Amino acid sequence: MNGILEKFLEMWQYQFMVKALVVGVVLAVTAGLIGVSLVLRRKAMIGDGLSHVGFGAFAIATVIGVMPLQFALPIVILAAILILQVNQKSKVDADALIAMLSAGALAVGTLVISVVKGVNTDINNYLFGSILALDDFDVVVGVIFSLVVILFFIVKYHEIFAMTFDENFAKSIGLKTERLNTIFAILCAVVVVLGMRLVGALLISSLIIFPTVTAMQIVKSFKAVVFSSVVVSVFCMVMGIIFSYFVATPTGATIVIFNVMAFLVAKVVEVF
Amino acid sequence: MEKQPIIAVKNLSVEYAKTPVFRKINFEILAGDFVCLVGCNGAGKTTLIKTILGLIEPSAGNVEFLGMSRKEIGYISQETVITANFPATVEEIVLSGLLNQKRGIFYTKSDKEKCEAALAKFGMKKLLKKHFAELSGGQRQKVWLARAVVATKKLLILDEPGNNLDSKSKKELYAELLKLNAQGITVVMITHDLDHQNLVGNKILALSDGMATMETTEAYVKRIHRHDHSEGAGK
C-alpha cells in the first residue's frame, strides 16, 4: 500500500505527468461537451475523419521540420469546414466523404513518411499517442481552448440544445444553425489536434463518442447527459493516465479501455 | 374591420434539380385566417411551407412578412427525425420554442410558466418532467404542438399535425387550433382530412400541377358537393 502511495506522490515530480494530466483534463472536458451534440446528431465520425487528416498534417510537419501543432491546427480546421460545406451543398454523403478524406490523408501521411527515414518514432506517437509528446505550448493552448469551449457552452447552451434536437425547427425560429455548425466543426478539429498527441490519431474519436454514449445509458435529460458526459470523460482520462503510469501501458489505449469499462458498467446499471 | 395580409407570396417558384415543383404562384394569407393547405402527395405542400419558413431557397419570387418576422412562426414539421432515445425532457423540448423570445442566457420563471400553460392546452402538463423516449407517438405530436404554440403569438404553420393521433385526439387538436385561431393566431395547416366532418378553417389553399388556388372553405364545400352530385347523376 505504501508503495502505491509513494509512486503516486512521485508521479507529481515528473513534469511530463503534470502536463499530461492538465492537458488530459481540459481535453476531456471539451471532448465530453462537444461530443454530446455530435453524437446525438449522428456526426460523431467527423472526429475520426479529422484525426486522419491530423495524422497526415503531423507527418508532413515532422518531415519538413516545422512545429506540428501550429502546422496541423489550421489544416484540420480547414478540413472540418470543408466536410461541413461539402456535406451541406453536395450530393456526397457525409460518411462517404469522411471515409474518402480519412483514407486520402492517411495515404498522404504514409507516403511522406516513406520517402524520409528516421521519423518513425514520431509517427508512432501520432498514431497511438505518447505521454511524453506534450510541451508547454500544448498546455497553454489546451487550457485557453477549454475555457473558451466552457464559456461557449454556457452562453449558447439552449441554442445548442435546440439545434441538436431539431435543426429545422431551430432554423425556422431564426437560429443561425450554419454558424453554430461551423463553430462545432472548428471545436472538433481543435480537440482532435490537441488530443492526437496524448491519445493518438487512431483512438482520439473515442474521447468524443464514449462519454456521451455512456452518459445516455444512465441519465435521460439533455442537461444531465451534458454534465455526466463531462464527468465520465474526465474520470476515464485521469484514471487512464495514472493507470498507464503505474503499470507502464500505452496512455491512449489505457484511457480508451477505461472508457470501454465505464460504458459496460453504465450498460449493466441501465439493465438492472 | 378588413383583415390585413400577414404573408404575401409573390411569383414564387421552387425547383428540385431543375424540375419545377411550382411556378410563379401568388397568394396572400390574411391575419386571423385558418388556411388548410391541400393537394395530392408530391404536389409541393411541404416544399411550399419550407420555402415560407426560409428552409428552402426559392428559384424565383419571394415571401413577404407583414407586421411580423419570419422567426415569429410556430412550426411543426412532418418529418421530425430524432433519435428515439434522445435524452430530453418534455420541458426542455417545449422551452426550446421560446428561443426566439429569450432575452438573457437562461430561461426565466415566466418562460417556464408559458411552457406549462402550452402543455396544459393539450392535457400534457403532468408530463412536464417526462423523458422524450418514454412518450407515445401521440404524446410526442402534442409536445411538438406545445413547442410551436409557445414560439408564436401570430402564426402557426403545421405540416400534418394530425399524424399519429387517433380520431378523438385529432378532434381535440382541431378544437384547440380553432380556439387559438379565435384568439387571433393565424393558422396554416397541411391536411388530408377533407371530409366534411373534419374540415376546419375558413380557407382552402389547393396545390395542383404547380399552381396554387385559394378559396373559402364554404366555396370549396359547395364546389365539391356539386361535383359529387354531378358524378352521381352521371352514373
Side-chain angles (χ1 to χ4, degrees):
Chain A
M1 196 68 189
N2 276 347
I4 294 173
L5 189 65
E6 267 172 35
K7 196 156 185 182
F8 183 76
L9 294 172
E10 174 202 77
M11 180 181 83
W12 299 100
Q13 291 164 12
Y14 295 111
Q15 278 290 308
F16 73 90
M17 275 306 288
V18 176
K19 279 180 197 165
L21 281 164
V22 171
V23 173
V25 168
V26 297
L27 196 67
V29 171
T30 50
L33 284 174
I34 68 162
V36 176
S37 185
L38 291 173
V39 168
L40 288 170
R41 288 188 294 142
R42 296 172 188 161
K43 290 185 175 175
M45 287 314 286
I46 193 174
D48 198 54
L50 292 179
S51 66
H52 289 84
V53 175
F55 169 76
F58 272 53
I60 295 169
T62 308
V63 167
I64 61 176
V66 294
M67 299 282 279
L69 190 68
Q70 288 90 320
F71 184 77
L73 206 51
I75 290 177
V76 181
I77 287 174
L78 276 176
I81 294 169
L82 179 78
I83 291 175
L84 203 70
Q85 293 295 320
V86 175
N87 185 220
Q88 279 166 358
K89 289 171 187 167
S90 92
K91 289 174 187 164
V92 183
D93 285 335
D95 55 349
L97 177 70
I98 290 169
M100 284 155 62
L101 207 63
S102 291
L106 204 58
V108 169
T110 314
L111 212 65
V112 169
I113 297 157
S114 71
V115 293
V116 183
K117 288 178 183 172
V119 291
N120 286 345
T121 312
D122 285 336
I123 295 311
N124 270 338
N125 288 347
Y126 297 147
L127 280 175
F128 303 107
S130 166
I131 205 162
L132 301 168
L134 301 166
D135 55 30
D136 290 343
F137 188 71
D138 292 311
V139 178
V140 173
V141 172
V143 171
I144 293 171
F145 172 65
S146 80
L147 288 175
V148 169
V149 172
I150 291 167
L151 194 68
F152 169 72
F153 252 79
I154 292 171
V155 175
K156 293 286 174 192
Y157 173 79
H158 294 294
E159 282 83 347
I160 291 167
F161 170 78
M163 184 180 78
T164 306
F165 187 69
D166 187 349
E167 194 161 338
N168 266 345
F169 179 81
K171 219 186 266 184
S172 80
I173 54 170
L175 188 69
K176 292 186 171 48
T177 54
E178 283 87 2
R179 196 167 64 187
L180 213 49
N181 268 322
T182 307
I183 293 173
F184 260 94
I186 293 171
L187 295 183
C188 187
V190 180
V191 166
V192 163
V193 174
L194 285 177
M196 266 180 65
R197 313 259 273 176
L198 185 64
V199 185
L202 298 180
L203 299 169
I204 181 67
S205 60
S206 63
L207 294 193
I208 292 168
I209 300 169
F210 267 106
T212 300
V213 181
T214 302
M216 280 172 65
Q217 309 308 312
I218 357 175
V219 288
K220 304 293 173 197
S221 80
F222 189 76
K223 199 182 281 176
V225 166
V226 170
F227 184 74
S228 310
S229 171
V230 171
V231 171
V232 169
S233 183
V234 171
F235 174 78
C236 293
M237 177 66 80
V238 172
M239 289 305 288
I241 292 173
I242 293 176
F243 192 83
S244 74
Y245 171 78
F246 270 76
V247 293
T249 50
T251 314
T254 314
I255 294 164
V256 177
I257 290 296
F258 268 94
N259 271 291
V260 173
M261 289 193 300
F263 170 74
L264 292 174
V265 170
K267 196 73 201 164
V268 171
V269 170
E270 191 210 16
V271 170
F272 295 101
Chain B
M1 202 173 77
E2 202 176 314
K3 286 180 175 178
Q4 295 299 312
I6 195 168
I7 295 178
V9 169
K10 293 178 177 171
N11 294 318
L12 193 71
S13 302
V14 171
E15 52 188 43
Y16 287 134
K18 308 227 163 145
T19 308
V21 181
F22 39 81
R23 263 197 192 142
K24 293 189 175 178
I25 59 170
N26 290 278
F27 63 87
E28 283 182 345
I29 308 273
L30 305 182
D33 271 354
F34 190 135
V35 180
C36 285
L37 176 53
V38 301
C40 308
N41 288 337
K45 304 182 293 295
T46 298
T47 302
L48 175 57
I49 272 184
K50 285 189 171 175
T51 314
I52 291 173
L53 288 160
L55 302 176
I56 291 176
E57 276 292 313
S59 48
N62 66 317
V63 179
E64 275 179 26
F65 291 89
L66 305 146
M68 68 171 290
S69 75
R70 182 174 261 151
K71 65 177 189 177
E72 287 177 277
I73 299 173
Y75 165 58
I76 297 186
S77 72
Q78 187 186 17
E79 78 293 346
T80 311
V81 189
I82 289 162
T83 318
N85 61 346
F86 192 102
T89 61
V90 168
E91 187 182 34
E92 285 178 318
I93 298 165
V94 179
L95 275 172
S96 69
L98 285 164
L99 203 62
N100 55 0
Q101 298 158 45
K102 189 165 67 73
R103 297 259 176 254
I105 294 175
F106 304 106
Y107 291 117
T108 61
K109 198 180 164 204
S110 129
D111 291 336
K112 290 184 178 172
E113 283 165 3
K114 279 183 202 168
C115 157
E116 281 182 37
L119 283 165
K121 280 185 208 292
F122 304 103
M124 295 276 290
K125 198 178 164 184
K126 276 186 189 164
L127 303 182
L128 190 71
K129 301 289 176 193
K130 191 105 171 162
H131 299 130
F132 174 74
E134 296 162 3
L135 302 179
S136 68
Q139 287 172 329
R140 285 181 189 188
Q141 197 69 7
K142 287 178 181 174
V143 171
W144 307 143
L145 273 162
R147 184 181 60 171
V149 165
V150 297
T152 189
K153 289 184 182 72
K154 292 177 179 166
L155 172 63
L156 277 173
I157 294 188
L158 316 167
D159 196 344
E160 299 193 41
N163 275 0
N164 300 318
L165 296 181
D166 56 34
S167 58
K168 183 175 171 271
S169 302
K170 207 183 270 188
K171 273 190 184 147
E172 285 169 5
L173 160 72
Y174 290 162
E176 198 51 55
L177 290 176
L178 284 168
K179 234 189 269 176
L180 290 167
N181 182 237
Q183 289 163 14
I185 295 180
T186 308
V187 181
V188 177
M189 174 175 82
I190 294 182
T191 181
H192 288 290
D193 284 333
L194 288 174
D195 56 288
H196 298 191
Q197 284 80 24
N198 283 325
L199 207 52
V200 286
N202 64 325
K203 299 242 176 97
I204 301 277
L205 175 62
L207 275 185
S208 174
D209 299 325
M211 313 277 279
T213 326
M214 180 88 85
E215 60 186 330
T216 63
T217 308
E218 204 181 342
Y220 174 82
V221 170
K222 275 185 192 162
R223 190 165 55 79
I224 295 298
H225 202 60
R226 272 202 306 272
H227 181 256
D228 289 350
H229 269 280
S230 61
E231 276 208 339
K235 276 182 189 169

